Amino acid sequence: MSIQIFGLPVSRGVAIGRAVLVASSRVDVPHVFIDPTLIESEVGRLLSARDVVATEFEVLKRDLPADAPAELAALLDVHLMLVQDEALVGASADWIRERHYNAEWAVSAQLEVLARQFDEMDDPYIRERKADLEQVVERLLRSLSKGKPSAVPDGGEHRDFGGDEPLVLVASDIAPADMLNFKRSVFKGFVTDVGGKTSHTAIVARSMDIPAVVGARQASHLIRQDDCIIIDGDAGLVIVDPSPIVLEEYRFRQRQSELERGRLARLRHTPAVTLDGERVELLANIEMPEDAPAALEAGSVGVGLFRSEFLFMNRGGNLPDEEEQYDAYRRAVESMKGLPVTIRTVDIGADKPLDGLSAAELRHESVLNPALGLRAIRWSLSEPSMFRRQLRALYRAAVHGPVKILIPMLASQREITQTMEHIAHAKRQLTEAGRSFGEVQLGAMIEVPAAALTLPLFLKHFDFLSIGTNDLIQYTLAIDRADEAVAHLYDAWHPAVLQLVANTITQARAAGKGVSVCGEMAGDPAFTELLLAMGLRSFSMHPTQVASVKQRVLRADTRRLAPLLDQVLYSEDPEAACESLLSQTNGGASPVARRA
């Protein structure tokens, strides 16, 4: 029977495929696709773990004291039977062979299948055996975690993995570390129970240009492994087991979307200039050095945000050393072929935690609201050796091309002073060591209302500003952007947010300092004309969003837009006011855009 599940639309388009469930577990489970040549060795890992667990149960039963309850021995027999059952281990091996899952993922996937079967049993005694199954699986996972880790391919596109059918990922939530593994994988869409429009899952889905719905509450419980599902990323709708008519309708929409992408791709090498001759800088947000070629391919004129924290993730607590960071930054700079690269210092915390780090990091993990805890520049200042190591690597990379360093989440003079002291110290260390380094421009992210309200302080110390609208909205409206319970209150059109953004742009331009927007607002075409009216001439977004925004830029006339700005900023409903004014001022597309 077909069912519909509603959530938040966070990445547009339509995805159709078989559901792949990533089940929650009390044991941290890595989700990676293994190299096809190593399938049988991965099956061997699984079988070895089974044998270890079976031996554990046999030893436990053998060593039971004479006066132990008979029920305890019977329970161990049940667990031994479960771990040796082909429905668990044999079927898990099938997931490895057919989908190329690593062993841990395969066991978790099969647990999901069997748990659903137990839930549907009429006999309450049999239903309760699901707890035994979960305990056995937990032992299996722990045994696997102690052995040799799965072999993972060395980068590249994993499009040949997972079988022939399109796959869509369904999970309660997706950890940033897993998103790194999934980023170049076979998945055509994402569905999560939790999250908001600017949660990490949503941002990465947009960067991959694939449909996604988050905050879908019970999706991972209502959808089964291998269900046929449709993800409508425009409406925030997930359709499970669609009828043939609905399926064909959405396939038609997919084809239309592909045609539109083709039309936009023709603008790739067209300069972003408004109808009245204002040149606009469209930059790219990237997460790894390997993303730089996509930024160039999209027609961006530089990198406006390199999120360096992704170099620190999914490493089991082993932070990258100076040489590894230098090599990553150098590769990104060289890949951009002389175009500027803005690299943000590590911004961990909130929805981007690190695994198994220092005591300071562990303290940050325990904060009731991580968004207000030890994150971004606060964490860097609490870990001076780590911070200086990154700064040295950044300055060394500047030898290979234009580099800008962006400091996140600054809020006070004290933090600015401490940051500048660390920068000076790092440069002295390079000089004393005889290391070559280049000059960089220093920038501050404006993402805390305290910063937006004390701009002269920031303009005094920094060469440029970059407005991080995701966090600025979160902190201005007191909304945790990753919490689906309040996600409907997250409002980029709120007058307070728009006035802070407009004031930041105005003051930066008056001071002769560069200013850009690097949050999700920059890549949303609905805001393009409004930001242009505010005076913004530098937008930074995911490479997949560049063409859509460029189309709006080419059709805009800033001379007609600017006088209408106050009517939007001080309206009770800025979004409606903006739509109304644009409909009145729309003079049609530029000749270039029309030809496209």
Side-chain angles (χ1 to χ4, degrees):
M1 181 182 72
S2 180
I3 62 173
Q4 295 184 345
I5 304 169
F6 292 90
L8 298 172
V10 295
S11 187
R12 298 173 180 174
V14 172
I16 303 171
R18 294 288 175 183
V20 173
L21 267 72
V22 175
S24 299
S25 171
R26 286 173 287 182
V27 179
D28 187 23
V29 176
H31 299 88
V32 296
F33 289 102
I34 62 167
D35 192 291
T37 62
L38 300 173
I39 286 175
E40 291 309 315
S41 64
E42 191 69 5
V43 171
R45 283 185 68 231
L46 173 63
L47 298 180
S48 295
R50 176 202 61 189
D51 294 342
V52 168
V53 174
T55 300
E56 289 174 355
F57 288 140
E58 290 169 348
V59 170
L60 286 170
K61 184 179 178 183
R62 184 194 65 200
D63 294 343
L64 281 175
D67 58 350
E71 292 82 3
L72 190 54
L75 181 61
L76 289 171
D77 283 335
V78 169
H79 284 199
L80 184 59
M81 176 190 69
L82 287 171
V83 80
Q84 294 174 330
D85 196 326
E86 283 297 297
L88 175 60
V89 176
S92 297
D94 291 339
W95 287 116
I96 297 173
R97 293 189 176 101
E98 294 170 12
R99 290 276 177 84
H100 302 185
Y101 294 173
N102 64 318
E104 292 88 343
W105 188 359
V107 171
S108 297
Q110 188 57 18
L111 170 62
E112 185 71 25
V113 172
L114 295 175
R116 296 291 177 88
Q117 294 176 5
F118 275 98
D119 287 339
E120 293 171 357
M121 296 291 183
D122 293 329
D123 188 327
Y125 175 80
I126 297 178
R127 281 202 307 271
E128 290 173 4
R129 299 283 67 76
K130 184 175 81 168
D132 296 317
L133 175 66
E134 290 171 342
Q135 291 169 13
V136 169
V137 167
E138 187 169 339
R139 275 186 174 267
L140 263 178
L141 292 173
R142 291 191 187 282
S143 178
L144 284 166
S145 69
K146 296 174 184 177
K148 182 180 178 182
S150 308
V152 187
D154 295 327
E157 301 280 333
H158 305 173
R159 301 187 190 281
D160 57 333
F161 292 1
D164 297 328
E165 289 188 273
L167 303 177
V168 293
L169 192 67
V170 181
S172 175
D173 195 12
I174 305 173
D178 279 340
M179 287 302 292
L180 287 177
N181 291 328
F182 295 150
K183 189 169 181 183
R184 291 181 176 83
S185 69
V186 297
F187 297 115
K188 304 302 182 186
F190 294 94
V191 181
T192 62
D193 296 346
V194 302
K197 289 189 175 183
T198 54
S199 63
H200 179 69
T201 302
I203 291 172
V204 173
R206 282 191 287 271
S207 77
M208 296 167 67
D209 197 22
I210 61 175
V213 174
V214 302
R217 298 299 177 96
Q218 296 297 311
S220 67
H221 298 285
L222 296 173
I223 299 171
R224 302 169 184 268
Q225 291 280 5
D226 269 354
D227 273 350
C228 176
I229 68 172
I230 296 170
I231 300 175
D232 184 339
D234 298 297
L237 173 65
V238 180
I239 304 173
V240 185
D241 192 19
S243 67
I245 294 176
V246 171
L247 195 58
E248 186 52 40
E249 177 187 343
Y250 274 96
R251 282 177 175 153
F252 174 76
R253 286 179 54 182
Q254 273 188 319
R255 293 191 292 271
Q256 292 296 106
S257 179
E258 289 168 4
L259 289 173
E260 176 62 18
R261 283 194 180 95
R263 285 192 290 268
L264 287 175
R266 299 175 193 174
L267 300 176
R268 183 180 302 126
H269 301 301
T270 303
V273 181
T274 65
L275 289 172
D276 56 319
E278 288 287 317
R279 186 169 292 275
V280 178
E281 185 180 55
L282 299 183
L283 305 168
N285 295 345
I286 67 172
E287 292 162 346
M288 298 294 283
E290 293 75 22
D291 298 334
L296 280 177
E297 179 66 20
S300 67
V301 294
V303 170
L305 177 63
F306 178 165
R307 296 182 171 98
S308 69
E309 56 271 15
F310 288 90
L311 297 174
F312 291 67
M313 291 181 175
N314 205 21
R315 304 175 58 94
N318 297 314
L319 293 178
D321 60 20
E322 181 180 332
E323 289 305 314
E324 182 180 347
Q325 290 189 63
Y326 161 69
D327 180 65
Y329 305 143
R330 176 190 56 77
R331 285 188 285 120
V333 171
E334 291 179 343
S335 294
M336 292 306 295
K337 303 183 185 304
L339 295 173
V341 177
T342 302
I343 304 174
R344 182 174 67 188
T345 59
V346 61
D347 181 10
I348 60 97
D351 64 340
K352 292 174 291 186
L354 298 187
D355 44 358
L357 293 182
S358 64
E361 174 60 18
L362 294 175
R363 287 197 303 274
H364 134 264
E365 285 289 303
S366 68
V367 175
L368 291 176
N369 186 343
L372 301 178
L374 189 64
R375 58 165 300 197
I377 189 60
R378 300 172 182 177
W379 184 69
S380 293
L381 293 176
S382 75
E383 298 283 347
S385 61
M386 179 284 302
F387 190 33
R388 291 172 188 169
R389 187 183 311 132
Q390 181 174 35
L391 290 170
R392 291 194 300 270
L394 288 168
Y395 270 92
R396 290 173 59 195
V399 171
H400 303 280
V403 169
K404 299 180 180 182
I405 297 177
L406 185 58
I407 310 297
M409 208 178 168
L410 287 165
S412 68
Q413 174 66 63
R414 180 182 178 184
E415 290 173 338
I416 293 173
T417 300
Q418 289 179 310
T419 298
M420 295 302 182
E421 288 173 352
H422 283 297
I423 290 172
H425 191 106
K427 292 170 73 173
R428 283 198 305 272
Q429 288 177 321
L430 288 172
T431 300
E432 292 167 0
R435 291 289 184 92
S436 300
F437 64 93
E439 287 304 312
V440 306
Q441 284 191 315
L442 292 175
M445 286 197 75
I446 304 301
E447 51 189 339
V448 179
L453 294 171
T454 56
L455 286 171
L457 175 64
F458 290 80
L459 293 168
K460 175 183 177 182
H461 292 282
F462 292 96
D463 302 308
F464 69 97
L465 304 179
S466 186
I467 307 171
T469 52
N470 300 350
D471 272 335
L472 185 61
I473 297 166
Q474 169 173 252
Y475 294 128
T476 301
L477 303 183
I479 305 267
D480 183 347
R481 60 190 176 99
D483 185 350
E484 77 282 0
V486 294
H488 62 288
L489 300 174
Y490 183 92
D491 183 11
W493 287 99
H494 193 288
V497 172
L498 297 181
Q499 289 172 35
L500 288 173
V501 172
N503 183 57
T504 300
I505 295 169
T506 298
Q507 289 199 44
R509 284 171 61 92
K513 299 293 180 77
V515 58
S516 68
V517 170
C518 64
E520 292 300 299
M521 189 184 287
D524 188 342
F527 288 95
T528 302
E529 288 88 352
L530 179 59
L531 291 170
L532 289 170
M534 292 178 182
L536 187 71
R537 298 295 182 265
S538 180
F539 297 64
S540 189
M541 66 207 73
H542 294 296
T544 57
Q545 298 167 317
V546 170
S548 297
V549 172
K550 183 182 288 187
Q551 183 181 60
R552 299 293 283 257
V553 169
L554 293 170
R555 295 175 176 177
D557 186 335
T558 61
R559 292 171 303 185
R560 303 180 68 182
L561 292 171
L564 305 174
L565 179 61
D566 284 354
Q567 296 181 51
V568 176
L569 292 184
Y570 299 101
S571 167
E572 292 181 358
D573 188 347
E575 184 174 11
C578 188
E579 290 177 0
S580 175
L581 292 170
L582 285 179
S583 66
Q584 297 172 32
T585 60
N586 183 11
S590 71
V592 173
R594 281 200 296 269
R595 284 199 301 272

